Amino acid sequence: MRDVTHDVPAPHRRTFLKYTGALGAAAAVSASLSACSSGPESTNETGGGDGEDRTLTAVIGYGNDGSWDPTQTASAFCMAANNHIYEGLLDTDPISREPYAALATEVPKDPDSTSWKFALRAGAKFHDGKPVTADDVVFVFERILDPDTQTLAKGFFASWLKEVRKIDAQNVELVLKFPFPDGLARLTLAKIMPKHVFSKPGGWDEAIKGLAVGSGPYRQTAHHPKSNTTFEAFADYNGPRKPAFRKMNWLTIVDAAPRVAKISGSSAGAQIADNIPYANIGQLESGGLTVAGGAGMNNLFLMFNTKHKPFDDVRVRQALHYAIDTEKMVEVALKGRGKPASSFLDGSNPSYRRAKTVYDYDPDKAKALLRAAGVKGLSIEILAVNVSWIVDCLPTVKSSWDAIGVKTTLSPQETTAVFTKMDQKQDYQVVAAASNPNQFGLDADLIMHYNYGPENLWMQYTRWAGNSVAKALFRDMDRATREPDAGKKTAMVQDYIDVVAEQAVLYPVVHNELMTAWNPERLSGIRPQPYPGINLLQAKWA
């Protein structure tokens, strides 16, 4: 996105610098991408043409210059695009997150088995015309499970998946370490990539920069970092979700005003846009657009550097959370479309339980905690991402902290800049950013491991993984992963979330809604999602 979910850190310094765009993301990705250049060659394709030949133009409120490597990325733009370009053995419905057969011919009938066998769809081809084979499946999973290769996807698979075996050219077997039915939905996070393309020297670097060759309904035709990415229906696609648009042009417009302008008025240049500011909902609806969204894990979080005193003291971290007038933030910045966090999970999550520690607005308690910690005259610079709704929330944080005697300076910057500083291990005090683990799924085990774990990059940023409380937390998390009883597992997750809430090392302040706007006279079948990006696999021209 250029908000943190969004451009999630991949757990390796050099790789992360590349995937955030700090190393060469603006370079040409490959000669195989037609018309790939540094300029916005295709941004004028705004729905021209007749009938089915029209180009669908979408506006994405996040950057397209994060990593495009499906095993690494958490960029909202790139993940959304990859869902149209690539397939997993199974993919998931964008709203219910129920798995369905994608490259595989069926969903395993016994999710509690420790062996899942998959036959590949007959006739499935990659966008370069080569057939999809079992070797491609094994190639991707070997990368994910390789102990010497740090990928974001490893955190979603390594704890429960032992190995992936080739049975023959069209059949594979996944061998699990223990029964893990939640793993079926996670298979959508292992996009199958052609071994003959990405096993070449430098292949993964090209994937990071933007080379995308999949077997999905749309093929990438051009990629211009910081401008736009274009797509075309793949003629040889024979899977379950057929392409409805002959061409698509996705524009990246991070700033709110030009993004709204692109979809507004009689001369609107786009038919759909995500990340709609709350203040513009009425304007867009009065202009005939549909604006809808949903509540989920999208959140403003605070992350503390626990090696920078006094943030090593849990009382200081708690004080700063208690000091924030979250109801005012929801009313003023979020226009009522959010809720103060009462757990790490949002209230709609199936595993939600109100945490034992909830940071209801209590400035007196905040002052008392600072006194108890012996902290006086504290000055804080908040290093923040410049995502529009986060910027709207920051003044409430500043006024709240100023009110308890904490001199507060706001420093919003591009997401790339923020996380490059941390990846380079530069000193910082507090980061304010956005996150939405629902991009990856709904199960609480996945969400919590995305944020917490002994080798997790977020924990490296907080410098907290070596703490004794952290070590005990990670052990409890691993036990919960292995618990076969669903009810017991949920209770175990809820119990360790209480520890996460109490420690407040990386913790949400508010959860909010994400809004999508579209022209109902041009598009039908749009399903707005409560996480960044768009999914057009079931949409069509109206």
Side-chain angles (χ1 to χ4, degrees):
M1 345 209 251
R2 301 311 319 192
D3 106 31
V4 160
T5 315
H6 320 178
D7 287 334
V8 182
H12 184 283
R13 178 174 180 266
R14 184 166 175 266
T15 299
F16 175 58
L17 286 171
K18 286 181 178 178
Y19 103 73
T20 56
L23 293 181
V29 296
S30 169
S32 68
L33 291 183
S34 63
C36 187
S37 68
S38 59
E41 176 177 299
S42 304
T43 55
N44 290 324
E45 293 184 25
T46 54
D50 298 321
E52 297 305 316
D53 287 338
R54 289 171 291 176
T55 295
L56 180 139
T57 300
V59 184
I60 309 298
Y62 310 102
N64 73 339
D65 57 340
S67 173
W68 282 72
D69 173 0
T71 71
Q72 292 282 38
T73 193
S75 159
F77 189 112
C78 305
M79 284 193 70
N82 282 344
N83 284 334
H84 296 72
I85 296 169
Y86 292 99
E87 299 175 280
L89 290 170
L90 306 180
D91 282 325
T92 58
D93 181 86
I95 307 303
S96 72
R97 313 312 284 268
E98 285 296 314
Y100 64 88
L103 264 176
T105 57
E106 64 178 0
V107 178
K109 294 181 173 60
D110 183 7
D112 290 313
S113 174
T114 56
S115 172
W116 295 335
K117 293 181 179 179
F118 295 96
L120 300 182
R121 189 176 70 236
K125 295 180 180 178
F126 289 114
H127 297 156
D128 62 1
K130 300 290 181 63
V132 181
T133 71
D135 289 328
D136 302 302
V137 177
V138 172
F139 167 69
V140 169
F141 278 102
E142 284 185 344
R143 172 174 168 81
I144 291 172
L145 297 177
D146 182 359
D148 297 323
T149 302
Q150 292 300 320
T151 63
L152 179 65
K154 177 187 286 188
F156 303 139
F157 291 95
S159 63
W160 57 273
L161 182 59
K162 181 179 180 180
E163 64 177 317
V164 177
R165 300 171 178 168
K166 174 183 175 180
I167 298 173
D168 57 35
Q170 291 298 113
N171 292 271
V172 296
E173 179 187 13
L174 273 63
V175 182
L176 281 61
K177 297 177 181 178
F178 48 85
F180 192 69
D182 286 343
L184 290 176
R186 295 192 191 186
L187 293 182
T188 190
L189 302 173
K191 299 301 187 187
I192 305 306
M193 306 170 71
K195 180 179 180 180
H196 64 272
V197 174
F198 294 104
S199 65
K200 293 179 180 178
W204 291 111
D205 289 342
E206 292 300 302
I208 289 168
K209 296 174 188 176
L211 178 62
V213 182
S215 61
Y218 293 94
R219 65 184 186 89
Q220 185 196 72
T221 51
H223 175 55
H224 307 101
K226 299 187 182 295
S227 172
N228 70 307
T229 303
T230 62
F231 311 81
E232 187 172 282
F234 179 42
D236 288 336
Y237 176 72
N238 66 348
R241 300 206 167 174
K242 309 296 184 185
F245 309 104
R246 192 174 72 83
K247 292 183 178 182
M248 297 194 297
N249 184 27
W250 289 18
L251 312 178
T252 169
I253 305 179
V254 177
D255 293 339
R259 185 167 66 252
V260 171
K262 195 69 176 179
I263 198 173
S264 303
S266 58
S267 60
Q271 297 87 41
I272 184 171
D274 77 340
N275 197 18
I276 297 299
Y278 307 121
N280 295 107
I281 292 174
Q283 165 205 342
L284 295 176
E285 288 179 335
S286 65
L289 298 184
T290 298
V291 185
M297 270 297 295
N298 208 63
N299 67 86
L300 161 64
F301 68 86
L302 296 180
M303 179 168 64
F304 294 93
N305 178 357
T306 62
K307 294 300 183 185
H308 188 124
K309 291 185 177 297
F311 308 111
D312 59 331
D313 192 320
V314 65
R315 294 169 296 185
V316 174
R317 303 193 296 266
Q318 289 181 340
L320 293 170
H321 272 279
Y322 278 119
I324 299 173
D325 189 345
T326 50
E327 293 288 355
K328 178 183 176 183
M329 182 181 289
V330 168
E331 178 185 355
V332 175
L334 305 181
K335 310 301 181 188
R337 294 181 179 270
K339 292 182 179 179
S342 56
S343 167
F344 197 96
L345 303 175
D346 68 287
S348 65
N349 189 283
S351 297
Y352 168 84
R353 182 182 73 192
R354 183 178 171 88
K356 289 183 178 179
T357 304
V358 176
Y359 297 101
D360 295 323
Y361 179 47
D362 193 339
D364 290 336
K365 187 169 187 176
K367 292 176 184 177
L369 284 165
L370 290 178
R371 285 195 300 270
V375 173
K376 297 179 181 178
L378 181 60
S379 295
I380 295 177
E381 178 186 39
I382 302 177
L383 185 61
V385 299
N386 66 346
V387 175
S388 54
W389 73 269
I390 295 290
V391 173
D392 291 341
C393 290
L394 291 177
T396 301
V397 180
K398 173 176 168 54
S399 63
S400 297
W401 288 0
D402 285 346
I404 63 166
V406 175
K407 183 179 179 182
T408 308
T409 302
L410 303 178
S411 182
Q413 302 175 23
E414 286 193 0
T415 300
T416 300
V418 172
F419 286 94
T420 297
K421 288 180 179 179
M422 285 185 292
D423 195 69
Q424 293 174 340
K425 303 190 187 317
Q426 295 184 27
D427 190 37
Y428 75 97
Q429 294 173 292
V430 184
V431 162
S435 183
N436 193 329
N438 286 162
Q439 282 182 256
F440 308 106
L442 293 177
D443 78 86
D445 180 275
L446 179 153
I447 289 169
M448 298 310 299
H449 279 86
Y450 167 71
N451 288 279
Y452 281 83
E455 297 181 1
N456 185 294
L457 192 60
W458 295 109
M459 294 296 96
Q460 292 179 38
Y461 287 160
T462 63
R463 282 79 153 165
W464 192 62
N467 184 281
S468 60
V469 176
K471 290 178 179 178
L473 169 68
F474 302 151
R475 288 194 294 270
D476 289 343
M477 293 175 71
D478 288 342
R479 280 194 287 267
T481 297
R482 292 174 173 272
E483 174 55 53
D485 183 275
K488 290 180 181 178
K489 180 174 183 174
T490 297
M492 293 168 73
V493 170
Q494 291 167 338
D495 286 347
Y496 74 63
I497 287 177
D498 286 338
V499 176
V500 170
E502 179 188 43
Q503 292 297 310
V505 171
L506 185 159
Y507 201 72
V509 176
V510 290
H511 292 104
N512 72 325
E513 296 181 57
L514 284 175
M515 310 303 294
T516 301
W518 68 94
N519 185 339
E521 294 182 359
R522 304 295 300 277
L523 298 176
S524 66
I526 299 298
R527 304 169 70 200
Q529 53 196 37
Y531 51 95
I534 56 175
N535 188 301
L536 301 173
L537 295 180
Q538 293 175 296
K540 59 184 179 180
W541 291 117

